[in-house]
Amino acid sequence: MNQQFRTAFRLLFAGFALALPLAAPAQTKAPQARAAKPIARPATKPAARPVAKPAAKPVAKTSNALAAIRESDIRRDLLTLGGDQYRGREGGTLDELKASAWLAERMRAIGLLPAGDDGTYFQWFNLQRLRLTKASKLSIGTHELVPNKDALVFAPVNAVVTAPLVYVGAGTLSETAQVDLKGKAVALLVTGTPPADLSFRRFLSATLRDKSAELVKAGAVAVVFVADERAQVVYEHWGHTYERGRYGLPGDPNVQVVTQVPTLLLPADALPWVQKAGQQLVADLRVETFRYPSVNIVAKAPGTDAKLKSEYVLFSTHQDHDGVRPAVAGDSIWNGADDNATGCVALLAIMRAFKQQPARRSALFVYHGAEERGLLGSRYYSAHPTVPEASIVAVLNAEMMGRNAPDSAALLGAVPPHLNSADLVRTALAANQAGPKFKLDAEWDQATHPEGWYFRSDHLPYARLGIPAIMYTSLLHPDYHTPRDEPARINYAKLTRMTNWLYLTGWAVANRPAAPAREPDFKLER
């Protein structure tokens, strides 16, 4: 980022800080929103299985600062960050930047030192965005379709197509063998059942990708899927995401401009007219790409040991969510109170504890921007850390910690192949026994779990580098990525206990003589 750009945004953030808290722009907000449809889930979930308990390891050097973690502080901070005034903190928007400025000001008020770039709390990075232009056009027969509203375009591509449409049922070999596919737009119905270790959402993505490749190889110039009943649920959830396009860090393959055969997904009610013979598909799809900023927020509590203070226990979370999107039952703000304002306010509480009683090692606090865009902030920070990578001895990641049963939680990175430090996991389990004593669900950490939850939060880029990394979570719930994820639905007592557990683990790691040992043969399944 050039100096002129940095200077402009420093001035912008200075203005934000003077204006905080900011009044929220008017948004439609219903007092009682009806339940929004959750993302399609497997029909059944394996029964919860507790984490196997390694030999207990006592928490090192008793902390006298646990009382600094107060439910009242956590509630107050979450009502601010997860409320309407920051409009869902969508990554790469002014709302995310305003919320980031508020968090940096809280860090300063607590007394933590800036640990970002150039002596600030901030580390700037660019998002690359790829999307269809508003001028893109699409039609099938007499049906004019608005791309990513009436028909989802699976990937933003440049494509100009005029071709006859042929319907091939489920697209089986026997059905496609009866039709000359060369030069045709091929329409088919979504079919198939995912294996037990794959959610329907992930199965649908793989089906669109793989079946399209098969039909293109056979000569198709466009592929048109029609949703069945299960795919319709995903279609409704995907719409607002596809309209925004794709995001990545500059240079990522998924944000490269390409010209290729388009793949479309139509809603289930399109099937009767898609089946009609003699229609033509006409597509004129154009993409545009541009960059804009997001930010990581970084602070530290220096250690007290002359030697160990050069090592860091990294507390990780993300400040962004989904922003302002199409209204559900009159509610257009997707607040992300659990995802992930809970992690954000937990770190603020832990900062207060470390400020009151510093540890031997330093504590590093990193709020990652644009996590919902594809772990972009954590990918960037892990590649460009503001402290030496070798000095980071452990990463403790806070992700959605305030919902579901009051006595349940999960620790991801605790079982193979996700286990990259049994030593760190033993410390975390001992901290749980010393503190909140949650019943731990190990199913979501399994490589066979259909949601692949381990791969969807900010500990992952650090784990890929071999740094001991674990994730603290109370898991998904029906309000996940809907406007109903609001502060009123958070269990603040549970969130406080989750915060205590995270802090006790970090405190133990920050005071032990040796850094957590790494597993020499660690290798993720994907």
Side-chain angles (χ1 to χ4, degrees):
M1 184 176 297
N2 62 41
Q3 187 61 38
Q4 183 180 6
F5 187 77
R6 292 188 185 192
T7 301
F9 270 91
R10 284 179 189 150
L11 292 172
L12 176 64
F13 262 68
F16 289 160
L18 290 173
L20 295 173
L22 298 169
Q27 287 291 329
T28 306
K29 201 77 175 174
Q32 295 292 331
R34 64 173 173 81
K37 288 183 180 179
I39 296 175
R41 301 274 187 262
T44 59
K45 174 185 177 294
R49 187 168 69 190
V51 176
K53 295 180 180 178
K57 189 169 187 175
V59 176
K61 189 182 176 185
T62 303
S63 170
N64 298 317
L66 194 60
I69 298 174
R70 293 182 291 268
E71 183 179 334
S72 59
D73 292 338
I74 286 172
R75 180 187 294 269
R76 178 201 65 223
D77 290 342
L78 196 141
L79 288 172
T80 298
L81 187 64
D84 287 354
Q85 73 183 61
Y86 292 121
R87 295 169 19 109
R89 313 177 307 280
E90 183 170 4
T93 68
L94 285 174
D95 299 317
E96 182 196 35
L97 302 185
K98 291 173 182 178
S100 299
W102 181 83
L103 285 165
E105 171 58 22
R106 299 303 297 164
M107 291 174 166
R108 186 202 61 77
I110 290 168
L112 263 67
L113 300 179
D117 288 337
D118 304 322
T120 73
Y121 291 101
F122 306 113
Q123 182 192 53
W124 296 97
F125 62 95
N126 281 323
L127 293 97
Q128 188 80 36
R129 184 179 183 183
L130 181 73
R131 70 178 181 186
L132 291 177
T133 68
K134 297 295 184 183
S136 294
K137 295 181 179 180
L138 178 64
S139 65
I140 295 177
T142 60
H143 294 264
E144 298 289 335
L145 305 172
V146 177
N148 291 325
K149 182 177 180 182
D150 304 317
L152 301 187
V153 182
F154 188 53
V157 295
N158 286 320
V160 178
V161 178
T162 299
L165 182 77
V166 293
Y167 179 73
V168 294
T172 63
L173 286 175
S174 60
E175 290 170 310
T176 56
Q178 301 174 32
V179 182
D180 178 11
L181 302 181
K182 191 171 183 180
K184 305 294 196 311
V186 180
L188 66 160
L189 184 66
V190 171
T191 58
T193 301
D197 64 346
L198 201 64
S199 68
F200 185 79
R201 173 183 53 80
R202 292 170 59 202
F203 169 76
L204 179 59
S205 293
T207 298
L208 295 181
R209 181 193 66 231
D210 297 342
K211 193 67 177 177
S212 290
E214 174 188 317
L215 293 170
V216 169
K217 188 176 181 179
V221 295
V223 181
V224 182
F225 290 89
V226 182
D228 63 2
E229 183 178 352
R230 299 165 304 165
Q232 181 63 28
V233 177
V234 182
Y235 178 96
E236 292 169 6
H237 180 80
W238 274 357
H240 61 82
T241 302
Y242 274 55
E243 185 178 13
R244 279 164 163 75
R246 287 185 172 182
Y247 296 82
L249 296 174
D252 282 354
N254 71 311
V255 289
Q256 301 301 309
V257 176
V258 296
T259 299
Q260 65 183 46
V261 171
T263 297
L264 313 176
L265 176 63
L266 300 181
D269 61 11
L271 184 60
W273 58 262
V274 168
Q275 291 175 309
K276 293 179 181 179
Q279 301 185 91
Q280 284 224 323
L281 178 145
V282 178
D284 185 0
L285 304 178
R286 309 283 178 170
V287 299
E288 59 185 357
T289 183
F290 45 91
R291 296 180 184 183
Y292 44 77
S294 184
V295 67
N296 295 323
I297 321 160
V298 194
K300 64 182 178 182
T304 59
D305 185 277
K307 181 179 179 181
L308 295 181
K309 68 181 181 181
S310 62
E311 297 180 354
Y312 295 88
V313 179
L314 192 159
F315 292 89
S316 159
T317 195
H318 71 91
Q319 73 269 28
D320 68 307
H321 191 59
D322 279 351
V324 178
R325 304 214 170 189
V328 177
D331 189 346
S332 61
I333 299 177
W334 300 48
N335 297 72
D338 193 32
D339 185 11
N340 191 28
T342 53
C344 293
V345 301
L347 262 61
L348 289 176
I350 293 169
M351 290 177 206
R352 296 183 187 103
F354 271 94
K355 179 62 179 177
Q356 179 173 312
Q357 185 180 7
R360 297 175 68 195
R361 286 184 177 84
S362 297
L364 187 68
F365 298 87
V366 184
Y367 290 78
H368 299 101
E371 186 265 4
E372 302 291 0
R373 302 303 198 193
L375 312 184
L376 300 188
S378 53
R379 284 181 53 210
Y380 188 85
Y381 188 85
S382 61
H384 306 89
T386 57
V387 300
E389 179 190 316
S391 70
I392 302 172
V393 301
V395 173
L396 311 180
N397 184 45
E399 176 71 75
M400 298 178 61
M401 304 201 305
R403 294 291 298 270
N404 296 321
D407 62 346
S408 71
L411 184 73
L412 273 65
V415 297
H418 304 153
L419 177 70
N420 76 343
S421 174
D423 194 4
L424 178 59
V425 169
R426 282 192 293 269
T427 302
L429 296 178
N432 182 46
Q433 289 306 306
K437 296 181 172 60
F438 285 113
K439 297 175 183 176
L440 300 183
D441 180 346
E443 289 296 336
W444 288 70
D445 199 21
Q446 301 290 331
T448 55
H449 195 280
E451 285 292 342
W453 189 231
Y454 176 86
F455 291 88
R456 292 162 57 183
S457 193
D458 287 315
H459 60 283
L460 180 65
Y462 300 96
R464 291 198 187 280
L465 293 173
I467 300 170
I470 49 180
M471 167 179 158
Y472 296 73
T473 180
S474 57
L475 300 173
L476 302 187
H477 47 77
D479 298 331
Y480 172 69
H481 282 249
T482 77
R484 288 170 57 86
D485 184 7
E486 297 185 301
R489 300 179 185 275
I490 299 300
N491 182 333
Y492 290 95
K494 176 176 184 176
L495 174 55
T496 304
R497 294 168 62 224
M498 290 287 292
T499 305
N500 288 342
W501 179 24
L502 183 63
Y503 165 68
L504 288 171
T505 308
W507 176 257
V509 174
N511 285 291
R512 54 185 285 174
R518 306 183 181 196
E519 301 304 306
D521 299 321
F522 174 66
K523 184 179 180 181
L524 294 172
E525 72 271 23
R526 59 185 172 95

